[in-house]
Amino acid sequence: MSVNGPLKGIRVLDLTTAWAGPMATRLLAGLGADVIKIESPTRLDDWRGVVQGAHPTRYPDLTPGERPYNRNIQFNTQNHDKRSLSLNLKDPRGLEAFLLLVPQADVVVANFRPGKLDKLGIGYQELQLHNDQIIVVEMPAYGAGGPFSNHIALGPLMEFMSGMSSLIGYGDGKPLTTGPAYLDPMGGFNGAAAVLTALHYRRKIGHGCAVEVTQREAAMHWIGEELIWSQMTGETRVPRGNGRTSVAPHDAFPTAGEDDWIVIACETDSEFASLCHELHLDDLASDVRFVSAASRLNHEDELNAMIAQETRNYEKNELAEHLQLAGVHAAPVCTGRDLAASDFLKARGLLHEINHPEAGTHVYQGLPLHIEGFELGIGAPAPLFGQHTREVLRDLAGLNPAEIDELWAAGVIDDVPR
Amino acid sequence: MENVISGEGSMPLSMLRVLDCSNSVASQYCGRLFADHGASVTLVEPLGGSLTRHVGPFVEAPGGQSHSSLFWHLNQGKTSVTIDLTCAAGLEIGRRLAQSYDVLIVDSWELERELRDDLVNVRIDCVITPFGDEPPWNRWQANEMVAQALSGTMSENGRATEEPLFGVGHRASYAAGTIGYIETLSCLLDEQLSDRTVDVSVVEVAASMNYNRITQFHYNGTIQPRGSLVSPLMTIACADGWVTLFIDDERWEATCVGLGLCSLMADERFVDDTTRAENWDELKVVMERNLRFRNVDEVVAAGQAVDTMIARLWTPAQLKDCPQLAARQFWVTAPGPDGREWCVMQSGFRFVPALSQSVSPAPDLASIISGVSSEC
């Protein structure tokens, strides 16, 4: 599409759905790759929602509109700079068209259960016969082999399986997950990293390869220190809300406003003294209960209650800025509204105003990519369903208009999902 | 696995040399990813060792010494040199050393400018900092909780009646390290591309992982209150552990069949996504009553057998015995810093043809490069 980045010239056939897979391919598109998203006319990407529309909060002005699948926020935020090819891979004619694309591609990415690509006739062993340079990256939840290999999963389930959820909670024994599906963007980052690694490997060995990025296992590396500690000691930490074992205070504190919070952490005694001074609690800095990290930890509940009594009087953004100027770790706990107004994110260029032909003009969060000499940002909105079907089949698969019309008449391709 | 290719020279990045001059989780994880895939990675540590050697969790050795599992995990496969980069002589040694490397990883813009002066051979600098180089934020203090607070994700973590939770560990930092790796590798693919800087902000990366909330606010003015039913996910205690289930229209029947609750299929309170959301608390009571005395593995097996979206909670200690991880040989060991075999995790990426490389430990603290201490 439109991003001029270091991956210009790399072409990706994207079979992914929902968040993790599309996030991976979105990163590749954001670095300049030509990503062609392949969408079945008979089974929509979960993140386009159901054909007739999903929960109103997914749509502009809470209105699904005539074609909700083109207005769904979930899809529209994760599929910038991609082309959409509608193609039914379960139809032999659709499969044939796909195989015509393979020689024109560098990478195929999928996030199905192990074995599904092979069942569809487009696993690595088959595709390398059409293009010995092809790289196939699969992103299953639990990986090929083993008793859970065919288990289906979503982000929160994988968070449970990774050890993370047992370390998140209020200390009452009930495990919690992070946001709606934190393991999904983690999986996306790991998937993109695998593709880049494989591209280097291809250059080294002179031909393509297959890579399995098991989302659960790759995610476990992101709490590797905790897992290794537990393996070596046989113990598991009990979560204590936001508390840490060596730092106090380290928590979220209420501020003025409904459900508004500020996080504060004092990693040194001098930082604590600064906090006390800024909150007009100077006596606390020399109070024997709070004079060191160890003593503050022993009296953490008391300390936190005293801090909270003061922070309630302040607006969270102003207080955070004030404390940061004094050298204290502090930040407002931001909602979507706060992020949309964030001067920091605007300065970093993460926020982009994009005009989508059916969803309208809105601000979207981009990708945190900054490479000297490249203007990396969002070039184009997420595609409409099947928007680029004709051009992809004509230009890359080499089909003539009559052949494309035949596929349309047979329902193998379409721009309206069923 | 087919056609195992052995030897370190066969690894995808074995032609790369990376100089890791960092002390942060994000940057050292970036270096770890390079090491995992065969790059030669040298960690430059300050006098007294990298900061991450002094950050827990700590594993106590039988002799009483303790070692950081964080440092161990972040620095497997690297070699170490000790150079005091805070003095002129040390910086000069650092610059001369960097001339032999393709990639320089740092976590400070000041250090990047100091080391980069006159360098001609380093192709890519990867600078990973909390906020980037823009004032006033470049002077802000950051840790994982600060990053998560500013990301938008923390505001919806936890219960509506309690404080929001940042999560666990250093996940924003690991994310940033991964982005640094991705961007650096993308530059290195083009052999004509040289003398570039990759700029990664941990806080910006954390915000980019947010679940669409910025655009949701723009689309329709709504924000997601903490504790609201964002998705039909239910956590239930079994006799010996916890399960979490995702219950939607597509899998409602399978859920009822799998959990032996067929009578619920006709219950008007739970007949579709809308009615289930309206009666969510009642549904939870029914589920809890049904699962409370059942074995967690049996519940998951029964559910997954009919494609119910269900998983059990694994604690870190329990993961040692996870049959899936055992079947995939996920856990291996390497000689640890205290003379014992320490636990190591296999790479998250598995290649075909398979790669075979012996697992390397994290380095011991090297002695100071001679001449530096007397000159500083």
Side-chain angles (χ1 to χ4, degrees):
Chain A
M1 296 288 290
S2 319
V3 177
N4 183 20
L7 294 187
K8 203 171 176 73
I10 297 292
R11 181 169 291 124
V12 180
L13 299 180
D14 177 3
L15 298 170
T16 68
T17 62
W19 193 2
M23 177 67 138
T25 54
R26 181 179 158 221
L27 278 161
L28 302 175
L31 288 165
D34 174 20
V35 176
I36 298 169
K37 186 166 177 67
I38 295 166
E39 307 193 64
S40 168
T42 58
R43 190 189 163 93
L44 271 181
D45 182 329
D46 287 343
W47 276 33
R48 282 199 187 267
V50 293
V51 174
Q52 64 271 30
H55 197 280
T57 56
R58 305 231 180 117
Y59 303 101
D61 305 318
L62 302 171
T63 308
E66 207 180 309
R67 284 178 290 275
Y69 45 88
N70 287 332
R71 290 165 54 81
N72 193 314
I73 187 180
Q74 292 179 309
F75 186 87
N76 289 352
T77 52
Q78 296 304 323
N79 291 282
H80 299 120
D81 296 304
K82 300 179 189 175
R83 295 197 271 177
S84 172
L85 162 65
S86 98
L87 192 64
N88 186 354
L89 293 176
K90 291 187 177 171
D91 186 297
R93 294 163 288 191
L95 178 61
E96 194 182 322
F98 177 82
L99 292 174
L100 289 173
L101 294 174
V102 171
Q104 311 300 325
D106 297 279
V107 185
V108 172
V109 184
N111 60 341
F112 303 135
R113 282 189 266 188
K116 178 151 181 193
L117 282 186
D118 290 322
K119 277 195 200 133
L120 284 171
I122 53 175
Y124 175 65
Q125 300 302 332
E126 174 66 32
L127 295 190
Q128 64 167 342
L129 300 176
H130 297 265
N131 178 1
D132 72 352
Q133 298 295 304
I134 199 74
I135 292 166
V136 176
V137 175
E138 296 192 65
M139 299 169 55
Y142 306 123
F148 306 158
S149 168
N150 275 318
H151 283 197
I152 50 174
L154 293 174
L157 275 64
M158 289 189 283
E159 196 168 8
F160 254 54
M161 295 285 284
S162 70
M164 287 180 190
S165 290
S166 73
L167 299 171
I168 304 172
Y170 294 100
D172 58 3
K174 184 166 179 194
L176 294 173
T177 53
T178 308
Y182 201 61
L183 257 67
D184 278 63
M186 289 169 63
F189 286 16
N190 284 320
V195 170
L196 265 302
T197 310
L199 284 167
H200 278 270
Y201 192 36
R202 179 177 76 174
R203 194 169 66 176
K204 187 178 161 71
I205 60 178
H207 58 80
C209 59
V211 189
E212 180 196 63
V213 185
T214 300
Q215 290 190 52
R216 176 212 199 186
E217 292 172 11
M220 286 166 69
H221 278 263
W222 290 27
I223 54 163
E225 67 278 7
E226 295 287 348
L227 300 184
I228 291 169
W229 180 81
S230 282
Q231 300 295 311
M232 297 301 295
T233 62
E235 300 171 43
T236 291
R237 290 184 194 289
V238 175
R240 306 161 51 237
N242 292 308
R244 290 220 119 142
T245 53
S246 57
V247 177
H250 188 284
D251 210 340
F253 299 92
T255 55
E258 188 180 336
D259 199 30
D260 277 344
W261 300 80
I262 185 171
V263 298
I264 296 172
C266 295
E267 301 199 346
T268 63
D269 296 340
S270 65
E271 201 176 339
F272 179 65
S274 295
L275 171 69
C276 292
H277 182 68
E278 297 304 321
L279 292 182
H280 310 292
L281 295 170
D282 289 281
D283 288 346
L284 289 193
S286 52
D287 188 317
V288 66
R289 291 172 295 170
F290 312 126
V291 73
S292 68
S295 58
R296 288 194 291 276
L297 281 163
N298 278 338
H299 298 275
E300 196 171 19
D301 290 346
E302 284 171 71
L303 176 61
N304 285 354
M306 289 183 204
I307 294 172
Q309 206 165 8
E310 291 305 314
T311 59
R312 282 182 208 284
N313 301 319
Y314 296 89
E315 193 276 331
K316 64 184 181 184
N317 293 289
E318 284 170 16
L319 181 58
E321 208 170 310
H322 202 63
L323 290 176
Q324 282 283 0
L325 280 172
V328 178
H329 287 71
V333 178
C334 292
T335 62
R337 179 191 298 123
D338 298 319
L339 293 182
S342 165
D343 289 333
F344 169 70
L345 294 182
K346 286 175 194 164
R348 289 293 293 180
L350 192 71
L351 307 181
H352 302 262
E353 189 172 272
I354 300 291
N355 179 27
H356 185 285
E358 293 194 16
T361 301
H362 298 96
V363 171
Y364 291 82
Q365 76 198 36
L367 293 167
L369 303 174
H370 303 274
I371 302 175
E372 187 183 0
F374 289 104
E375 288 283 332
L376 302 173
I378 299 177
L384 306 177
F385 181 83
Q387 181 177 350
H388 306 93
T389 299
R390 284 193 179 272
E391 78 183 48
V392 170
L393 292 177
R394 179 192 66 223
D395 298 341
L396 297 181
L399 300 187
N400 62 45
E403 288 168 321
I404 296 173
D405 287 342
E406 253 182 64
L407 290 176
W408 213 289
V412 178
I413 60 178
D414 210 330
D415 62 359
V416 177
R418 300 187 281 284
Chain B
M1 294 266 201
E2 314 175 24
N3 301 327
V4 174
I5 297 176
S6 297
E8 293 186 8
S10 62
M11 297 292 283
L13 305 182
S14 60
M15 61 292 190
L16 286 179
R17 291 171 58 81
V18 177
L19 189 66
D20 180 352
C21 296
S22 71
N23 279 279
S24 67
V25 174
S27 300
Q28 288 185 358
Y29 185 63
C30 181
R32 161 84 198 255
L33 287 169
F34 279 99
D36 271 358
H37 299 105
S40 168
V41 182
T42 304
L43 178 71
V44 176
E45 300 194 61
L47 306 185
S50 173
L51 281 180
T52 50
R53 286 190 189 269
H54 307 286
V55 175
F58 294 100
V59 175
E60 283 202 19
Q65 245 198 340
S66 60
H67 300 275
S68 165
S69 63
L70 178 67
F71 179 85
W72 168 261
H73 178 58
L74 293 173
N75 294 291
Q76 270 153 26
K78 301 179 188 176
T79 54
S80 170
V81 297
T82 302
I83 306 175
D84 181 1
L85 292 175
T86 64
C87 71
L91 275 172
E92 184 51 33
I93 290 180
R95 284 191 207 104
R96 277 191 268 139
L97 188 63
Q99 290 280 3
S100 309
Y101 287 80
D102 304 295
V103 176
L104 175 67
I105 300 175
V106 292
D107 50 18
S108 138
W109 281 99
E110 288 85 358
L111 183 59
E112 193 265 349
R113 285 186 273 267
E114 293 274 14
L115 286 175
R116 221 35 188 96
D117 191 30
D118 294 334
L119 280 184
V120 295
N121 288 335
V122 173
R123 289 187 56 197
I124 308 295
D125 290 352
C126 181
V127 187
I128 307 179
T129 58
F131 288 97
D133 206 20
E134 291 88 3
W137 305 284
N138 59 352
R139 297 283 173 231
W140 275 38
Q141 305 295 317
N143 62 9
E144 177 71 16
M145 188 171 64
V146 165
Q148 292 293 352
L150 292 170
S151 74
T153 300
M154 184 171 176
S155 71
E156 54 183 301
N157 274 359
R159 298 183 199 133
T161 53
E162 310 270 1
E163 71 276 16
L165 298 178
F166 80 89
V168 60
H170 307 274
R171 296 183 297 182
S173 288
Y174 280 94
T178 307
I179 289 290
Y181 176 75
I182 288 167
E183 291 189 273
T184 303
L185 279 189
S186 71
C187 291
L188 290 169
L189 270 179
D190 182 351
E191 286 175 359
Q192 305 303 315
L193 212 57
S194 189
D195 196 19
R196 300 291 177 115
T197 302
V198 165
D199 165 13
V200 183
S201 154
V202 176
V203 173
E204 186 192 9
V205 169
S208 76
M209 298 169 73
N210 177 271
Y211 186 85
N212 317 316
R213 297 307 182 204
I214 298 172
T215 306
Q216 179 176 336
F217 178 72
H218 272 275
Y219 260 35
N220 51 52
T222 58
I223 62 171
Q224 204 61 42
R226 190 168 55 266
S228 61
L229 193 61
V230 175
S231 56
L233 198 67
M234 187 180 285
T235 297
I236 306 282
C238 296
D240 56 345
W242 294 82
V243 292
T244 192
L245 297 103
F246 184 83
I247 309 172
D248 65 353
D249 279 343
E250 191 179 340
R251 293 193 165 81
W252 173 237
E253 194 175 309
T255 303
C256 292
V257 168
L259 301 186
L261 292 167
C262 296
S263 61
L264 290 187
M265 285 195 284
D267 192 320
E268 282 181 7
R269 294 173 296 169
F270 314 127
V271 72
D272 58 26
D273 282 340
T274 304
T275 55
R276 279 191 297 276
E278 286 167 1
N279 300 297
W280 192 254
D281 290 343
E282 289 178 54
L283 178 59
K284 192 151 188 248
V285 167
V286 172
M287 291 287 184
E288 283 169 343
R289 206 164 48 220
N290 178 265
L291 300 183
R292 137 175 13 136
F293 299 116
R294 292 171 65 181
N295 165 264
V296 67
D297 287 324
E298 176 262 311
V299 167
V300 171
Q304 284 282 356
V306 291
D307 276 1
T308 302
M309 195 80 80
I310 186 170
R312 65 160 277 188
L313 181 76
W314 288 86
T315 67
Q318 290 170 336
L319 284 168
K320 181 164 72 74
D321 299 319
C322 173
Q324 180 69 10
L325 297 176
R328 290 174 53 79
Q329 298 176 311
F330 181 71
W331 299 112
V332 291
T333 62
D338 57 9
R340 295 183 290 170
E341 286 292 300
W342 273 48
C343 169
V344 173
M345 295 185 280
Q346 290 278 22
S347 169
F349 312 162
R350 301 209 184 189
F351 282 77
V352 173
L355 307 173
S356 174
Q357 182 185 21
S358 57
V359 175
S360 302
D364 292 331
L365 183 58
S367 49
I368 296 169
I369 287 190
S370 67
V372 174
S373 61
S374 62
E375 290 169 39
C376 283

